[in-house]
Amino acid sequence: MNKYESMTRQELESELNILYASLTEYGEKGLNLDLTRGKPGTEQLDISQEMLGVISTSDDCMSQSGIDCRNYGILDGLPEAKRLFSRLLNIPEKNLIVEGNSSLNIMFDTVARAMLFGVYGSEKPWGMQGHIKFLCPSPGYDRHFAICEAMGIEMIPVDMTPDGPDMDAVEKLVAIDPSIKGIWCVPKFSNPEGYTYSDETVRRFANLKTAAPDFRIFWDNAYAVHEIYDEKVELLDIFEESKKAGNEDKVFYFASTSKITFPGSGVAIMAASENNIIQIKPILSAQTIGFDKINQMRHVKYFKDADGVHAHMKRHADIIRPRFEAVINAFRANLSGIASWTEPRGGYFVNLTVPDGCAKRVFRLAADAGVTLTKAGASFPYGNDPRDRHLRIAPTYPSFADLEMAISILCLCVKAAVIEKMLSAAI
Amino acid sequence: MNKYESMTRQELESELNILYASLTEYGEKGLNLDLTRGKPGTEQLDISQEMLGVISTSDDCMSQSGIDCRNYGILDGLPEAKRLFSRLLNIPEKNLIVEGNSSLNIMFDTVARAMLFGVYGSEKPWGMQGHIKFLCPSPGYDRHFAICEAMGIEMIPVDMTPDGPDMDAVEKLVAIDPSIKGIWCVPKFSNPEGYTYSDETVRRFANLKTAAPDFRIFWDNAYAVHEIYDEKVELLDIFEESKKAGNEDKVFYFASTSKITFPGSGVAIMAASENNIIQIKPILSAQTIGFDKINQMRHVKYFKDADGVHAHMKRHADIIRPRFEAVINAFRANLSGIASWTEPRGGYFVNLTVPDGCAKRVFRLAADAGVTLTKAGASFPYGNDPRDRHLRIAPTYPSFADLEMAISILCLCVKAAVIEKMLSAAI
């Protein structure tokens, strides 16, 4: 129930003018508030600072297995780093490749490799199979979609639900169309809604019957340990489930420490079935002699084990939680009955859903008042939100005071856009 | 003049038996000496050890321009890192992209990008142009050739000379065949011969007329500052020369600190004309948000400026020089008149040329005696040295004592293989 619906036209106009006046006032302040990207704030970066000091002597650089991390060698990751990620993510070491600083880079390379060489089970490289497509649960992560767009892979949007992608639609599409080669998933604390896939969704993914023999689920578990409350949000194990179904070759799994230690200076991993690893490694070995083992060792020495990571994540949670709550409390206080929003238990984003046709207008109004939002539509393939209603809110990067001010302004913008729409509809 | 030529068959057989006896003796020791890869030795790694300690506080992570190296952002390299490499390599900052830990990885990605997207001036992606080819000056770097082999790019060997590739052959081939898309070059202290391209060679490269509008010179300046004597071995500036010829779009330039600081934990760069950079960056931005800026900053803080790098390289030279000299002195003492070898002024390798048809046999004999050499033929496309005569010697990695013993054994193997050949030819 929209509280504005009981107002007369005159009341609405008067309310809108008050909102405009406030926004103009903010606009004149020349603010520069940024809610665009899921970047950790400075306070979060500081909690990993000690990691940079854990390696200094040459002894620090020696692995237990006698590998000197400073020299060439070890394509698929330092054994100690494999062990750490294996325990953290419950993935056997033999299925892990520990790589460089960016899981996005691994995902791009994985698509590029599939285009040039195919995947295990491909009759030909994807790039030699004519027009190919990916399913894109939407709203989703804009950088996933940018990889498809760069590669000329057609993106087919699939609706997101609080339980994950609309699996009826997914199953139907992949069953009949062999040109559909993949789907992008952020299965836990999804970007931007913060949804975690239900057990049923994961099981349906694990049992997916695809017309393409070389279909892959790109399982970007970016927020695997990124709870913001003192609880464990369970995500069913995709590898275990897909193994039961004899379907484990269909999964490419990605994760990183970008939002555990340092974005850009973390460690990223890929995991896959043995058949996939056997297909990938020779190509990877043409690409590089190896990744940064000193940085892998830095992470190992700092965290020691998976518990070390979990303890560290609690410190992140303590910083992030009040920010999520500030956003959600402001939305509750100001936008109830006007808009809806997600209330994630982890991850980096809140998704705000405004009435149809209002998202671009809110973006514009906010920009004029000094608040930069992620572009309306960014979380949809080709930047096209068909109902123009989704806005992604990233509360981690600004100072707490800036965040509060930015959200207050955002709420005014939403109200104004909604009233504008009602007035124009009523003409 | 081969000193064995004056010997009788009986004398040769007796000499060979003595050599076999020595080799058997070594073989029974169960040695495990490795001359295969151009890996720095531990002593070399130690001289960069302090670099790992130069960044610890959050202040250390702040760039002069206010960038927090710990967070996301800055696709093409920290400004300070650009400046360092710009001064070191005499390349304008605007032409530089400072990336991750491996120039090989950048080269692979550059070929992969060309296959998928083309280069500036391509009518179509390389991968859509049917069968394509690269020129491969040989002997050359096996990992360059491995990239072509992985991508299915046909490799055409071109002879190396002490002045660089046989430019008559290069010019002739590229002028008529538009399917030739590139050439691999290690222009300074070439791998494996240690040759530096003459001014004339560089000028001819800079003025190359190619049938393919999208031909590229892959200029892997891996040993740009890797002199082992107190001198500067000059390499003409490919960008300056190609600019004069209006040909600067034809050059892709690569370098890294893998053999300055740490292999695997260094910083690698790519340089190219503005047209090329404009074509590359949007694709790179789909691939990654950015490279490891903390490690870039670590290098900047440690070296301060180009002079810092040069001073550092003198310390490497002091460690490497005696090793090169030990190899060359042993060859002079034992193999004069039997084999020939290069005597490089820098880089990481000595190339040993044995009589035709003997290289594989030397490799085998050495292996049996406990010395692992780079596989005979490895420095040729498809591992095929047509005259079976080249062996690449990498003197940096073993301990000095191991190196001396390995070279002694190698000399015995060469002698034995040469006598075997003479005896079998005389049958």
Side-chain angles (χ1 to χ4, degrees):
Chain A
M1 171 62 188
N2 176 337
K3 71 170 172 175
Y4 295 133
E5 276 171 16
S6 57
M7 288 191 186
T8 65
R9 184 170 185 89
Q10 207 178 1
E11 284 169 338
L12 285 174
E13 279 170 352
S14 146
E15 175 82 5
L16 185 57
N17 283 333
I18 294 167
L19 292 165
Y20 281 160
S22 302
L23 287 171
T24 304
E25 212 171 298
Y26 280 118
E28 282 163 359
K29 286 188 185 170
L31 299 171
N32 183 14
L33 306 173
D34 191 338
L35 295 179
T36 57
R37 304 294 327 172
K39 292 170 74 165
T42 304
E43 208 185 336
Q44 285 181 267
L45 300 173
D46 287 343
I47 67 176
S48 302
Q49 195 65 42
E50 275 179 33
M51 187 183 76
L52 297 181
V54 297
I55 291 212
S56 59
T57 70
S58 57
D59 278 354
D60 296 333
C61 299
M62 296 302 293
S63 89
Q64 284 182 316
S65 44
I67 296 161
D68 189 335
C69 295
R70 301 171 301 173
N71 220 328
Y72 284 118
I74 316 295
L75 178 65
D76 59 351
L78 198 66
E80 285 89 340
K82 278 194 182 181
R83 196 174 315 134
L84 176 66
F85 285 104
S86 170
R87 306 244 165 113
L88 186 66
L89 303 170
N90 191 35
I91 296 172
E93 291 176 32
K94 68 176 189 298
N95 297 111
L96 272 170
I97 304 179
V98 186
E99 306 200 10
N101 75 322
S102 157
S103 55
L104 185 73
N105 197 327
I106 304 180
M107 288 183 254
F108 179 98
D109 286 4
T110 300
V111 175
R113 200 165 45 230
M115 294 297 283
L116 289 168
F117 304 94
V119 299
Y120 173 78
S122 290
E123 284 171 29
K124 293 192 278 192
W126 286 2
M128 295 291 166
Q129 295 189 32
H131 187 75
I132 66 163
K133 306 165 193 160
F134 259 55
L135 300 186
C136 298
S138 302
Y141 180 29
D142 54 353
R143 289 188 184 270
H144 287 161
F145 302 159
I147 292 175
C148 280
E149 199 163 357
M151 299 281 179
I153 297 172
E154 184 188 334
M155 293 182 271
I156 303 174
V158 170
D159 283 343
M160 270 295 286
T161 79
D163 287 328
D166 173 351
M167 291 309 291
D168 289 344
V170 169
E171 286 166 354
K172 207 169 144 188
L173 286 161
V174 300
I176 54 165
D177 186 349
S179 73
I180 299 177
K181 296 298 180 192
I183 184 168
W184 291 111
C185 297
V186 182
K188 188 167 172 179
F189 306 134
S190 68
N191 177 348
E193 288 162 311
Y195 293 147
T196 297
Y197 291 11
S198 69
D199 290 357
E200 193 202 329
T201 297
V202 177
R203 282 200 191 97
R204 288 172 78 175
F205 267 115
N207 285 276
L208 212 53
K209 304 268 181 294
T210 62
D214 52 356
F215 179 92
R216 287 297 179 275
I217 300 161
F218 282 68
W219 199 255
D220 180 5
N221 205 1
Y223 309 108
V225 291
H226 298 61
E227 276 82 358
I228 57 178
Y229 291 92
D230 192 15
E231 64 187 352
K232 181 153 166 44
V233 174
E234 293 290 348
L235 172 71
L236 213 60
D237 188 315
I238 184 74
F239 279 122
E240 279 182 14
E241 294 302 317
S242 59
K243 239 179 216 169
K244 286 183 207 162
N247 230 355
E248 68 266 35
D249 294 333
K250 282 210 170 60
V251 181
F252 284 156
Y253 183 114
F254 309 91
S256 82
T257 71
S258 294
K259 289 176 182 105
I260 296 175
T261 56
F262 298 117
S265 302
V267 173
I269 65 104
M270 170 171 190
S273 71
E274 286 175 80
N275 285 330
N276 282 313
I277 296 279
I278 287 168
Q279 189 260 347
I280 290 167
K281 269 198 195 167
I283 304 168
L284 197 63
S285 111
Q287 186 175 19
T288 186
I289 304 172
F291 299 95
D292 186 342
K293 294 187 299 297
I294 295 181
N295 202 38
Q296 291 180 7
M297 185 59 114
R298 206 174 267 125
H299 282 71
V300 168
K301 285 219 179 252
Y302 180 62
F303 288 122
K304 294 186 179 69
D305 54 29
D307 284 344
V309 178
H310 291 300
H312 190 79
M313 292 314 291
K314 285 200 195 303
R315 300 175 66 190
H316 279 295
D318 289 342
I319 297 167
I320 296 176
R321 191 172 49 251
R323 293 165 167 268
F324 272 74
E325 289 176 350
V327 172
I328 287 160
N329 290 337
F331 287 170
R332 284 181 185 162
N334 293 285
L335 301 182
S336 291
I338 299 172
S340 63
W341 52 90
T342 56
E343 301 192 352
R345 310 292 294 177
Y348 264 68
F349 303 102
V350 171
N351 191 62
L352 176 65
T353 306
V354 294
D356 287 15
C358 287
K360 279 185 190 153
R361 179 60 181 155
V362 171
F363 174 85
R364 190 68 260 156
L365 287 167
D368 291 343
V371 177
T372 314
L373 299 171
T374 308
K375 226 175 158 196
S379 55
F380 281 75
Y382 311 106
N384 177 29
D385 175 0
R387 294 171 62 183
D388 183 28
R389 61 178 182 148
H390 289 287
L391 289 162
R392 185 181 83 165
I393 311 302
T396 50
Y397 188 62
S399 72
F400 199 87
D402 281 359
L403 174 66
E404 287 193 308
M405 187 183 291
I407 295 295
S408 301
I409 296 171
L410 173 60
C411 290
L412 298 176
C413 298
V414 172
K415 288 178 181 173
V418 169
I419 297 177
E420 284 175 350
K421 196 193 165 201
M422 292 173 72
L423 287 171
S424 83
I427 285 166
Chain B
M1 172 60 189
N2 174 336
K3 71 170 173 177
Y4 296 132
E5 279 171 17
S6 59
M7 287 191 186
T8 65
R9 185 172 185 89
Q10 206 178 3
E11 285 170 335
L12 286 174
E13 281 171 350
S14 144
E15 175 81 6
L16 185 57
N17 283 332
I18 295 167
L19 291 165
Y20 282 159
S22 302
L23 287 172
T24 305
E25 213 170 295
Y26 281 118
E28 282 163 0
K29 288 187 182 168
L31 300 171
N32 183 13
L33 306 173
D34 191 338
L35 296 178
T36 56
R37 304 296 324 173
K39 291 171 75 165
T42 305
E43 208 184 336
Q44 285 180 268
L45 300 173
D46 287 344
I47 66 175
S48 303
Q49 195 65 44
E50 276 178 31
M51 188 183 75
L52 297 181
V54 297
I55 291 212
S56 60
T57 70
S58 57
D59 278 354
D60 296 334
C61 298
M62 296 303 293
S63 89
Q64 284 182 316
S65 43
I67 297 160
D68 189 334
C69 295
R70 302 171 301 174
N71 220 328
Y72 285 118
I74 315 296
L75 177 66
D76 59 352
L78 198 65
E80 285 89 340
K82 278 194 180 180
R83 196 175 315 135
L84 176 67
F85 284 105
S86 170
R87 305 243 166 116
L88 186 67
L89 303 170
N90 191 34
I91 296 171
E93 290 175 33
K94 67 177 188 298
N95 299 109
L96 274 169
I97 304 179
V98 185
E99 306 199 8
N101 75 322
S102 158
S103 55
L104 184 74
N105 197 326
I106 304 180
M107 288 183 256
F108 179 98
D109 286 5
T110 301
V111 175
R113 199 164 46 229
M115 295 296 283
L116 289 168
F117 304 95
V119 299
Y120 172 79
S122 290
E123 284 170 28
K124 293 192 279 191
W126 286 2
M128 294 292 166
Q129 297 189 30
H131 186 75
I132 65 163
K133 305 164 192 161
F134 259 54
L135 300 186
C136 297
S138 302
Y141 180 30
D142 55 351
R143 289 187 184 270
H144 287 161
F145 303 159
I147 292 174
C148 280
E149 200 163 356
M151 298 281 178
I153 297 173
E154 184 188 334
M155 293 182 272
I156 304 173
V158 169
D159 283 342
M160 268 297 285
T161 79
D163 287 328
D166 173 350
M167 291 309 292
D168 290 344
V170 170
E171 286 166 353
K172 207 169 143 187
L173 286 161
V174 300
I176 53 164
D177 187 349
S179 73
I180 300 177
K181 295 299 180 192
I183 183 168
W184 292 111
C185 296
V186 182
K188 188 167 171 180
F189 306 134
S190 68
N191 177 347
E193 288 163 311
Y195 294 147
T196 296
Y197 292 10
S198 69
D199 291 357
E200 193 202 329
T201 298
V202 177
R203 284 201 190 95
R204 288 173 77 175
F205 267 116
N207 285 276
L208 213 54
K209 305 269 180 294
T210 62
D214 53 354
F215 179 92
R216 286 297 180 274
I217 300 161
F218 283 68
W219 199 255
D220 180 4
N221 204 1
Y223 308 108
V225 292
H226 298 62
E227 276 82 359
I228 58 177
Y229 291 92
D230 191 15
E231 65 187 351
K232 181 153 167 43
V233 174
E234 293 290 349
L235 171 71
L236 212 60
D237 188 316
I238 185 73
F239 278 122
E240 278 183 14
E241 294 302 316
S242 60
K243 241 182 215 167
K244 286 183 206 162
N247 231 355
E248 69 265 35
D249 294 333
K250 284 211 168 60
V251 182
F252 284 156
Y253 183 115
F254 309 92
S256 81
T257 71
S258 294
K259 290 176 182 106
I260 296 175
T261 56
F262 298 117
S265 303
V267 174
I269 65 104
M270 170 170 191
S273 70
E274 286 175 78
N275 286 329
N276 282 313
I277 297 278
I278 287 167
Q279 190 261 346
I280 289 166
K281 270 198 195 168
I283 304 168
L284 196 63
S285 111
Q287 186 175 21
T288 185
I289 304 173
F291 300 94
D292 185 342
K293 295 186 299 299
I294 294 181
N295 202 37
Q296 293 180 7
M297 185 59 114
R298 205 174 268 126
H299 282 72
V300 168
K301 285 217 182 253
Y302 180 62
F303 287 122
K304 295 187 179 68
D305 53 29
D307 284 344
V309 178
H310 292 300
H312 190 79
M313 292 314 292
K314 284 199 195 304
R315 299 176 66 189
H316 279 293
D318 289 342
I319 298 168
I320 296 177
R321 191 173 50 250
R323 293 165 167 269
F324 272 74
E325 289 176 350
V327 172
I328 287 160
N329 289 337
F331 286 171
R332 283 181 186 162
N334 294 287
L335 301 182
S336 292
I338 299 173
S340 63
W341 53 90
T342 56
E343 302 193 351
R345 311 292 293 177
Y348 264 67
F349 303 102
V350 171
N351 191 64
L352 177 66
T353 307
V354 294
D356 287 15
C358 287
K360 280 186 190 153
R361 179 59 181 154
V362 172
F363 174 86
R364 188 69 259 155
L365 287 167
D368 290 344
V371 176
T372 314
L373 299 171
T374 307
K375 225 173 160 198
S379 55
F380 281 75
Y382 311 106
N384 177 29
D385 174 0
R387 294 172 61 183
D388 183 29
R389 61 177 182 149
H390 289 287
L391 289 163
R392 185 182 81 164
I393 312 303
T396 50
Y397 187 62
S399 72
F400 199 87
D402 281 0
L403 173 67
E404 287 192 308
M405 186 182 291
I407 295 295
S408 302
I409 296 171
L410 172 61
C411 289
L412 299 175
C413 297
V414 173
K415 287 177 181 173
V418 168
I419 296 176
E420 285 175 351
K421 196 195 165 199
M422 292 174 71
L423 287 170
S424 85
I427 285 164

